[in-house]
Amino acid sequence: PNRSPDGVAVAGATHAPTDAPPPAATPEAPTEATEPPPAATEAPEASSTPAPSGTPSTNLGLVPAKRLQKALDEYRAKTGIPGISVAVVWNDGRSWAGATGLRDVGRKLPVATGTAFPFASVSKTLTAAVVLQLVDEGKVDLDTPAARYLPAYSLDKQITVRMLMDHRSSLPDFFANRKIDRALQGDKDATWTAARAWKYVPKLRPKPGTIYDYSNTNYLLLGELVEHVTNQPLSTEVRTRLLDPLGLTTAWYQAVEDPKAKGARG
């Protein structure tokens, strides 16, 4: 669903590609992404050949670029994965990025080190960070019933905000309801609201706090909680609290913000 907290995307980084003196000890960090952005709004992609960056340092070892690229190509061939992008950063400051295969199989477009990949559920960490900032600001209490912040969802009052964050609310995943598949496949371009996804959450629910069950439902609700408390979309809070302050210039919130790079198509 569009308003799910799994919507952050990031374009890939570029790093020194050769067995030559590596960059200085302030390398660009490897980056990731979420689902493929719409082709019609894709931005220019980085070169398929990683470019050296930073100032060479004779105090650092060589980057084994050829061996790393060979291992990457062989792994893709062995596993059948269409395309892969990898970035490696050593703790002594060396870095390397490589890519192999296709980002779009149908159009035979190659993966580059600047290709954006699905960030998917790793985006939950950004949602959690926003919630914890709200806790620090005194706007949310982890051990308060989540129903206080989400009156529209008729939640069991035993479910706390902490349980949602820890996947211990016992709320099953809406994707566990097979009926959602037909709805998703029936209109692949539909914009889903959190309320619509909530309707597919299975009714059979264990007692809150008694089991651990990884469930997208928890973070769907946490995204709604952020919006209820701040009166701002989750995408805005992620942008203003995390992406911009951290200088993540290649990151964007999908289905809301314009893509910043060409993405791999799932």
Side-chain angles (χ1 to χ4, degrees):
N2 265 14
R3 297 175 63 192
S4 163
D6 291 350
V8 180
V10 191
T14 56
H15 298 271
T18 61
D19 293 342
T26 54
E28 182 177 342
T31 51
E32 312 83 1
T34 34
E35 296 140 19
T41 57
E42 289 178 340
E45 185 175 11
S47 167
S48 59
T49 302
S53 61
T55 304
S57 171
T58 56
N59 297 325
L60 303 176
L62 298 178
V63 174
K66 292 181 179 179
R67 282 192 296 153
L68 288 169
Q69 186 64 51
K70 181 175 183 290
L72 188 60
D73 292 337
E74 290 176 348
Y75 182 77
R76 183 184 63 81
K78 179 180 178 181
T79 60
I81 296 173
I84 306 172
S85 178
V86 170
V88 181
V89 179
W90 286 265
N91 59 8
D92 62 7
R94 292 176 296 154
S95 60
W96 173 84
T100 182
L102 303 174
R103 69 174 178 85
D104 188 322
V105 175
R107 296 160 65 192
K108 299 187 183 304
L109 300 176
V111 172
T113 55
T115 296
F117 278 81
F119 206 60
S121 287
V122 180
S123 300
K124 288 183 173 68
T125 59
L126 279 73
T127 301
V130 171
V131 172
L132 291 176
Q133 286 186 354
L134 294 174
V135 171
D136 286 344
E137 295 166 9
K139 298 175 182 178
V140 174
D141 183 90
L142 289 175
D143 296 310
T144 291
R148 172 180 171 184
Y149 306 102
L150 299 164
Y153 288 88
S154 302
L155 294 176
D156 187 319
K157 293 184 178 180
Q158 295 182 77
I159 298 175
T160 64
V161 177
R162 189 187 301 273
M163 289 179 186
L164 292 178
M165 295 188 72
D166 290 345
H167 293 287
R168 295 187 179 277
S169 70
S170 298
L171 290 171
D173 198 321
F174 47 82
F175 283 129
N177 186 340
R178 294 185 178 182
K179 292 182 180 179
I180 200 172
D181 293 338
R182 180 177 297 178
L184 289 169
Q185 296 298 327
D187 188 353
K188 297 180 181 179
D189 295 324
T191 298
W192 279 61
T193 63
R196 184 181 179 189
W198 173 255
K199 292 179 180 179
Y200 286 90
V201 177
K203 302 300 181 183
L204 181 60
R205 304 167 186 177
K207 182 179 178 181
T210 59
I211 64 170
Y212 170 86
D213 181 20
Y214 181 89
S215 171
N216 285 287
T217 301
N218 292 311
Y219 275 75
L220 182 77
L221 292 174
L222 286 170
E224 290 293 281
L225 180 150
V226 169
E227 296 193 7
H228 178 78
V229 171
T230 66
N231 291 316
Q232 294 287 345
L234 176 62
S235 58
T236 299
E237 295 298 317
V238 168
R239 166 62 57 192
T240 59
R241 291 174 176 272
L242 301 174
L243 302 184
D244 285 347
L246 293 173
L248 300 179
T249 57
T250 59
W252 75 94
Y253 197 102
Q254 289 184 293
V256 177
E257 300 178 341
D258 291 335
K260 296 181 180 292
K262 294 180 179 180
R265 295 189 62 84

